[in-house]
Amino acid sequence: MLAYARDRRRFLLFGRRRRVGPETHRRRAEVLLESLLTLGPTFIKLGQLLSTRPDVLPPEYIEVLSALQDEVPPAEWSDAKTVLEDELGPVDERFDEFDTEAISGASLGQVYRGRIDGESVAVKIRRPNVEPLIEADLRVIRWSMPLLLYFVDDARSFSLENLADEFAKTIREEMDYSREAKMLKEIRSNFEGDERFRIPAVIDSHSGSRVLTMEYVGGTKINDVAELDRKGIDRSELAEALQRSYLQMIIDDGVFHADPHPGNLAVTDDGQIVFYDFGMSGRVDDFVQDKIVDFYIAVANQDIDAILDSLIEIGTLSPEADRAVMAEVLELAIADARGEDIEQYRVQQIIGQVEDSIYEFPLRLPKNLALVLRVATVVEGVCVTLDQDFDFITTATEYLTEQGYREESIRQFVSASGDQLRDTTESLIRVPPKLERSLDKLDREAVTVTIELEDAHRVFDRLAKRLIYGLLLSVGLISTAIIYAFRGLDLAVIVSGSLSALLIVLLFLSFRRRRRGLQATPQFTRQNLRQRRGDE
């Protein structure tokens, strides 16, 4: 926290804003990563959540923390057995077989294999005694937050407060395996009948709030390219299917698997994509779904104004932001991401540039969009691993066209244009009578003009301060001169002179130009953008 504050102010608590280079940010992020790993389960989860919040941390932090894997050594079987039997009863009675060696361990739970009625199952057990540890860690975070907020600006303060609330809610939800089972069932039902995907079934009779028993489905890790090639699986088709599955979850279904890193995705020998671990899952409301569609269509059409409109409406971009600057950022990002074919460019690179601008301005990232942003970038990373020539925009455009979204967008545009034309015609009819009445009032001198001044930069406040400082300084100088003339150099002269000197300093500082608002134009020149891309 001290390092973060030191990087923002020249003298920690005061002074001009301090610009820190990417290497310094990266070193800070690596130290933070080690600290989070040392602090344990809660802070590992916190690091994962921070990696989805470019409105809170610089891009270098996001990059380092994105590599944070939720993998820790499993707890002792004797402790895990206590949790399992408290929830379900004696292991020997409930399972035909049970392997006491965990097949995976995470910060909140660990997974074992067993058999029920001859069928292989995976049993996820919450870590023993993790609840009081999580609550204690959440108290530490809650107590630390006011101190951290002291060092940040208002916009980022708002984001951090939201982040703390969001994190407490998310980690408590993830500890509730009943909720995970419900989300898993819902997502599984949405893909029912689609042979391209395999989502394990929940065994309700052997599940509870601390234990989740599922159908065991094995497979090859999705980023094991050599093994996939050996099995003759078409990786290009696999990448397209994976991308389409997340487009369906986010745009159509409104509920999605939010942790698509390679450890949670596998491929069966038949080429089916298997999804694991639904502890981190999310929902998207109708409004956000519509705006995401608008954003994808605008990117596909290279319509910069439409991209900006969708970002403003969804809450990512402030309405007060300089549209010309942001248009240049997006235009350069799309041009930089474009391949040899003018239609080939990657949304991950676009999002990466927007993430940079979110931190630099800074802007807010809505809570309900943070997981979606993370999913979009992680999924495309997996797709590019499967197929280096994978084109997200082409796949997204085809999906939107097949589902009728682009056609609906055109219909809405035509309808809106018709409404505007009708409103314009009505206005043209109403204007002449109103104009005549206004001219009559003006002729009778019955017009009152009300002027309201907006002083966003507090110009009048600074002017008032300067007048007050100037008057006090004049009085101080005259008083000092009079006292010196009658009494010579004594304590009263020194005090009066010191106060006058202080007023001179304050008056001088009031004339110094302060950097306010969005001072971002110089940051996004073409040369600067290419240099930043080169550094990455």
Side-chain angles (χ1 to χ4, degrees):
M1 286 163 51
L2 288 173
Y4 181 83
R6 176 69 182 85
D7 288 346
R8 296 183 61 78
R9 291 288 176 188
R10 187 169 297 278
F11 302 109
L12 189 64
L13 298 179
F14 59 92
R16 297 183 63 184
R17 293 177 62 86
R18 182 170 180 249
R19 294 197 61 82
V20 177
E23 289 304 317
T24 301
H25 278 317
R26 190 166 284 106
R27 287 197 305 271
R28 303 278 200 231
E30 289 169 354
V31 172
L32 175 61
L33 177 63
E34 291 300 320
S35 299
L36 294 173
L37 290 170
T38 303
L39 287 168
T42 310
F43 291 89
I44 291 174
K45 289 292 181 185
L46 178 61
Q48 290 181 314
L49 185 58
L50 284 170
S51 71
T52 70
R53 299 303 298 265
D55 58 329
V56 173
L57 292 175
E60 292 75 23
Y61 280 78
I62 301 299
E63 180 183 349
V64 171
L65 293 180
S66 295
L68 186 62
Q69 294 295 314
D70 188 14
E71 296 178 1
V72 295
E76 294 292 333
W77 161 243
S78 57
D79 296 329
K81 181 181 179 182
T82 302
V83 175
L84 178 61
E85 294 191 334
D86 285 347
E87 198 76 16
L88 301 181
V91 177
D92 295 339
E93 295 179 10
R94 301 305 306 273
F95 295 88
D96 299 338
E97 299 176 17
F98 199 96
D99 186 353
T100 58
E101 290 292 326
I103 58 176
S104 71
S107 57
L108 299 181
Q110 49 210 39
V111 182
Y112 298 84
R113 286 192 63 179
R115 296 187 74 84
I116 300 174
D117 298 331
E119 297 294 330
S120 184
V121 296
V123 184
K124 185 177 180 180
I125 304 174
R126 195 161 73 194
R127 276 187 172 270
N129 304 315
V130 74
E131 300 95 328
L133 176 62
I134 295 295
E135 292 301 327
D137 289 343
L138 289 176
R139 283 196 297 274
V140 171
I141 294 170
R142 191 161 53 247
W143 293 340
S144 304
M145 193 58 61
L147 178 61
L148 182 59
L149 295 180
Y150 182 82
F151 295 110
V152 300
D153 50 60
D154 291 340
R156 192 160 287 111
S157 172
F158 178 87
S159 292
L160 281 170
E161 287 182 296
N162 279 348
L163 176 67
D165 295 338
E166 175 191 0
F167 175 62
K169 176 176 178 290
T170 299
I171 199 167
R172 289 190 179 108
E173 286 180 346
E174 198 167 344
M175 285 196 297
D176 183 2
Y177 288 175
S178 298
R179 177 187 179 275
E180 181 176 346
K182 180 181 178 182
M183 300 292 276
L184 193 159
K185 290 177 184 177
E186 186 173 350
I187 295 174
R188 187 172 189 268
S189 67
N190 290 334
F191 285 96
E192 190 172 2
D194 194 329
E195 297 298 326
R196 297 172 299 174
F197 309 106
R198 183 82 178 272
I199 298 174
V202 176
I203 312 298
D204 289 320
S205 60
H206 289 68
S207 299
S209 62
R210 295 185 295 168
V211 175
L212 177 59
T213 303
M214 302 159 285
E215 169 191 15
Y216 177 80
V217 181
T220 303
K221 199 171 181 179
I222 199 165
N223 63 346
D224 189 348
V225 175
E227 183 64 16
L228 293 175
D229 288 342
R230 191 185 69 80
K231 292 182 176 181
I233 295 173
D234 189 324
R235 290 191 278 116
S236 297
E237 290 184 3
L238 206 61
E240 183 174 350
L242 179 64
Q243 188 62 67
R244 282 174 170 268
S245 71
Y246 277 93
L247 287 170
Q248 176 184 324
M249 283 189 273
I250 292 171
I251 294 176
D252 290 327
D253 301 335
V255 56
F256 61 98
H257 176 257
D259 198 14
H261 67 77
N264 287 338
L265 298 170
V267 183
T268 66
D269 292 345
D270 296 332
Q272 291 180 306
I273 298 174
V274 185
F275 296 87
Y276 301 126
D277 192 357
F278 289 78
M280 189 181 291
S281 51
R283 293 188 181 277
V284 188
D285 58 47
D286 293 340
F287 174 78
V288 174
Q289 285 179 306
D290 291 341
K291 294 305 128 187
I292 290 173
V293 170
D294 291 344
F295 174 77
Y296 285 153
I297 291 175
V299 171
N301 296 338
Q302 301 180 38
D303 187 340
I304 301 298
D305 283 332
I307 295 175
L308 289 173
D309 289 340
S310 62
L311 292 176
I312 289 172
E313 290 175 10
I314 207 171
T316 298
L317 181 63
S318 169
E320 286 77 28
D322 189 330
R323 286 182 68 98
V325 174
M326 282 306 303
E328 184 181 0
V329 173
L330 293 172
E331 183 181 335
L332 291 176
I334 292 175
D336 185 58
R338 200 174 288 155
E340 292 183 2
D341 184 344
I342 196 170
E343 293 297 328
Q344 291 184 351
Y345 44 90
R346 304 192 188 287
V347 78
Q348 183 182 15
Q349 292 171 309
I350 296 172
I351 289 176
Q353 300 296 349
V354 173
E355 285 178 356
D356 289 357
S357 68
I358 286 174
Y359 178 75
E360 295 288 350
F361 278 108
L363 303 178
R364 299 171 183 174
L365 186 62
K367 291 186 292 185
N368 54 0
L369 195 62
L371 283 179
V372 175
L373 186 67
R374 179 177 188 269
V375 165
T377 54
V378 175
V379 167
E380 201 207 357
V382 174
C383 290
V384 171
T385 301
L386 292 169
D387 178 7
Q388 291 184 351
D389 298 323
F390 177 74
D391 185 356
F392 173 86
I393 297 300
T394 297
T395 302
T397 302
E398 290 175 354
Y399 181 86
L400 294 172
T401 303
E402 290 169 9
Q403 300 300 318
Y405 287 110
R406 298 192 79 186
E407 183 180 347
E408 178 63 23
S409 177
I410 294 172
R411 280 201 298 267
Q412 289 177 356
F413 175 78
V414 172
S415 176
S417 299
D419 292 341
Q420 289 178 357
L421 181 61
R422 184 177 62 254
D423 293 342
T424 301
T425 303
E426 292 175 355
S427 297
L428 289 174
I429 295 172
R430 291 194 300 265
V431 163
K434 290 183 177 181
L435 181 60
E436 185 177 1
R437 288 196 298 270
S438 299
L439 290 173
D440 287 342
K441 287 184 179 181
L442 187 62
D443 186 53
R444 294 195 303 268
E445 298 183 356
V447 177
T448 301
V449 178
T450 302
I451 299 176
E452 183 177 334
L453 297 178
E454 291 188 5
D455 188 17
H457 298 289
R458 304 181 67 183
V459 174
F460 290 114
D461 286 349
R462 291 202 299 272
L463 180 59
K465 284 182 180 180
R466 290 168 188 170
L467 287 173
I468 293 171
Y469 291 153
L471 289 172
L472 291 175
L473 178 59
S474 300
V475 173
L477 291 175
I478 293 172
S479 300
T480 302
I482 292 173
I483 294 171
Y484 180 76
F486 285 95
R487 301 179 58 176
L489 185 62
D490 64 359
L491 181 60
V493 173
I494 294 173
V495 172
S496 179
S498 299
L499 290 174
S500 298
L502 177 60
L503 288 168
I504 290 173
V505 173
L506 292 174
L507 186 61
F508 170 76
L509 291 176
S510 72
F511 280 95
R512 293 187 63 185
R513 293 185 63 186
R514 297 183 180 180
R515 297 176 63 187
R516 295 181 178 270
L518 306 181
Q519 303 294 330
T521 303
Q523 299 172 7
F524 296 104
T525 62
R526 295 177 185 269
Q527 180 179 359
N528 185 282
L529 185 63
R530 292 197 180 99
Q531 181 178 356
R532 294 170 78 179
R533 294 292 305 159
D535 292 339
E536 293 174 2

